[in-house]
Amino acid sequence: MKLKQRVVLLAILLVIFIFTKVFLIDNLDTSAANREDQRAFHRMMTGLRVELAPKLDHTLQSPWEIAAQWVVPREVYPEETPELGAIMHAMATKKIIKADVGYKGTQLKALLILEGGQKVVFKPKRYSRDYVVEGEPYAGYDRHNAEVAAFHLDRILGFRRAPLVVGRFVNLRTEIKPVATEQLLSTFLIVGNNTCFYGKCYYCRETEPACADGDTMEGSVTLWLPDVWPLQKHRHPWGRTYREGKLARWEYDESYCDAVKKTSPYDSGPRLLDIIDTSVFDYLIGNADRHHYESFQDDEGASMLILLDNAKSFGNPSLDERSILAPLYQCCIIRVSTWNRLNYLKNGVLKSALKFAMAHDPISPVLSDPHLDAVDQRLLSVLATVKQCTDQFGMDTVLVEDRMPLSHL
């Protein structure tokens, strides 16, 4: 057996060992656990490894057609995705036929069109893996590797609400410049021996370009959602004001959640529970910058909250921004399925699963060990927050069945 195969086998055995430890040794309270949640978790763990390979078996469809058909109102991709490796391989390798400036926003990005007509968003590398972003939790440039890590965390949590993301190396001189629009091309420059560009965005500056290593630039590519699913933007009810000295209502009003529950689309349907799921997700990745969010249009509150733009995360492993969890600790409700999944991931399982899921990405290692350790530590804080709620209000009030209407709360 080759050394690489042995390493992979040992990694799989390690994940299975930890998984078994959680269920057999840690004495999890299974009276509140749903058996289907356990089976779903086991399926996720066994299918965690995504090996990028070009072959698509048993279909004549393109990778882009398959990914487009996956999208439905409550998930971006299904629970079982045998074609995921082929789709991500296409995202990481297909020829770039057009490059343009990114869609409007505050951060540098490029909009690429790959062979077959598929749009992807390219976010360039701005920091080394060990760089620590100091200052406010939303400070600094976007982190391309954070998009990759956030996608795999979305898989592990079982949310399936984040668009597909994979790392990619591009040659700016041979792959981008020949197919770039004039608007993008005008932002290219040479710094030392490195090709750079600064693009078009609110904070984009010629003095702060993203630079390749020579001509080769590391980045992430995010699969564009199908145009048949237009997006609607919403202000996050727990968003910041971003004004010095001015607090948002949730920062001083202890009964704020009661007011949110009386406001559409949070007064019925799944949206409020999606907000709370997202607060857990954002806290785990250290993202304090979700001031808006997107859903599908004309959904009357039934669409999922789509986990877009996760790059303002994994900046500082020491960050413990508890305010991100405000929807959870102010409303004191959480989905049963989310609660079960979080419990299954404690005792080091989350760190191991995340590391294993990202091992085959082209830009691996995606995260440094301090960031992986931080995710595990933040998970404990989430579990402790839910326990405080259940101690105060009881399990039956705090743990909400996924399909239960919220009118009873």
Side-chain angles (χ1 to χ4, degrees):
M1 185 181 293
K2 295 181 180 179
L3 178 60
K4 183 177 180 181
Q5 292 174 322
R6 291 177 181 173
V7 171
V8 171
L9 179 59
L10 287 172
I12 294 171
L13 291 174
L14 177 62
V15 171
I16 293 173
F17 169 76
I18 296 173
F19 173 79
T20 304
K21 180 178 183 293
V22 171
F23 279 90
L24 300 182
I25 300 176
D26 286 328
N27 195 27
L28 179 68
D29 180 12
T30 55
S31 63
N34 184 283
R35 289 186 179 181
E36 177 53 34
D37 288 342
Q38 293 182 8
R39 289 193 289 268
F41 179 70
H42 181 67
R43 288 193 297 268
M44 181 279 295
M45 292 291 284
T46 55
L48 198 56
R49 178 188 178 196
V50 179
E51 190 166 351
L52 274 63
K55 190 175 181 181
L56 269 173
D57 294 325
H58 313 302
T59 180
L60 296 177
Q61 292 180 302
S62 73
W64 316 137
E65 291 171 326
I66 294 171
Q69 290 175 359
W70 280 349
V71 182
V72 293
R74 292 298 304 168
E75 62 183 21
V76 176
Y77 54 93
E79 181 182 6
E80 296 185 14
T81 53
E83 304 92 352
L84 182 59
I87 295 169
M88 296 177 74
H89 179 271
M91 292 168 62
T93 61
K94 283 287 187 182
K95 182 180 179 181
I96 300 166
I97 60 175
K98 185 179 180 181
D100 200 355
V101 295
Y103 56 92
K104 63 181 180 179
T106 62
Q107 298 289 313
L108 173 60
K109 60 184 77 71
L111 180 62
L112 308 180
I113 299 181
L114 305 182
E115 187 178 18
Q118 178 63 50
K119 296 178 185 177
V120 295
V121 176
F122 178 80
K123 294 191 176 182
K125 177 182 178 180
R126 305 299 295 258
Y127 302 113
S128 67
R129 297 293 190 272
D130 296 326
Y131 186 88
V132 175
V133 179
E134 302 288 356
E136 298 291 344
Y138 43 83
Y141 303 118
D142 273 1
R143 277 75 79 177
H144 72 296
N145 58 316
E147 290 282 12
V148 176
F151 164 66
H152 287 287
L153 179 64
D154 176 68
R155 294 176 59 217
I156 292 166
L157 292 175
F159 292 163
R160 301 191 292 279
R161 300 170 206 158
L164 277 58
V165 185
V166 68
R168 176 164 180 161
F169 290 94
V170 297
N171 187 300
L172 295 182
R173 181 175 57 84
T174 62
E175 291 185 272
I176 301 296
K177 293 182 73 174
V179 296
T181 62
E182 285 298 323
Q183 194 174 21
L184 178 61
L185 201 57
S186 66
T187 72
F188 274 76
L189 65 158
I190 300 295
V191 178
N193 295 319
N194 302 317
T195 303
C196 311
F197 76 101
Y198 56 91
K200 300 282 186 180
C201 70
Y202 187 80
Y203 290 124
C204 291
R205 303 285 186 273
E206 185 175 355
T207 54
E208 300 179 28
C211 292
D213 182 4
D215 292 322
T216 303
M217 175 172 277
E218 178 184 319
S220 66
V221 287
T222 301
L223 196 69
W224 195 271
L225 291 171
D227 292 337
V228 296
W229 293 97
L231 301 182
Q232 181 176 353
K233 195 169 189 176
H234 309 264
R235 182 163 185 82
H236 197 299
W238 275 269
R240 299 171 182 271
T241 65
Y242 293 88
R243 298 175 188 170
E244 188 174 354
K246 182 174 177 59
L247 297 177
R249 179 178 170 182
W250 63 267
E251 294 180 277
Y252 61 83
D253 184 353
E254 293 183 0
S255 63
Y256 177 71
C257 185
D258 293 333
V260 173
K261 289 178 183 177
K262 298 174 184 176
T263 306
S264 178
Y266 312 107
D267 55 348
S268 63
R271 187 63 57 79
L272 181 57
L273 290 170
D274 282 0
I275 288 281
I276 291 166
D277 280 351
T278 303
S279 73
V280 171
F281 177 82
D282 283 338
Y283 180 71
L284 292 175
I285 66 178
N287 177 22
D289 196 45
R290 201 177 297 279
H291 43 81
H292 289 81
Y293 69 86
E294 286 81 14
S295 70
F296 293 131
Q297 282 184 7
D298 302 322
D299 64 332
E300 298 181 354
S303 163
M304 62 185 156
L305 189 163
I306 305 166
L307 297 174
L308 285 172
D309 291 332
N310 303 307
K312 276 294 180 73
S313 53
F314 295 108
N316 188 338
S318 300
L319 177 69
D320 188 12
E321 186 66 22
R322 298 296 177 93
S323 65
I324 303 173
L325 284 176
L328 174 59
Y329 62 69
Q330 289 184 351
C331 296
C332 268
I333 56 172
I334 191 170
R335 283 187 170 96
V336 172
S337 59
T338 301
W339 172 241
N340 288 341
R341 181 62 60 97
L342 294 173
N343 272 287
Y344 302 154
L345 291 167
K346 64 186 181 182
N347 299 316
V349 176
L350 177 55
K351 173 184 174 179
S352 297
L354 189 55
K355 190 172 184 177
F356 186 65
M358 301 184 298
H360 293 277
D361 192 273
I363 65 168
S364 180
V366 177
L367 294 178
S368 64
D369 283 337
H371 282 296
L372 290 166
D373 291 336
V375 173
D376 261 0
Q377 192 62 40
R378 290 171 190 150
L379 174 60
L380 297 179
S381 296
V382 176
L383 296 174
T385 300
V386 178
K387 187 177 186 306
Q388 289 174 359
C389 288
T390 56
D391 288 347
Q392 183 175 358
F393 300 106
M395 300 272 288
D396 291 342
T397 299
V398 175
L399 302 184
V400 180
E401 291 292 343
D402 292 43
R403 295 176 179 84
M404 185 182 293
L406 296 183
S407 58
H408 73 294
L409 298 174

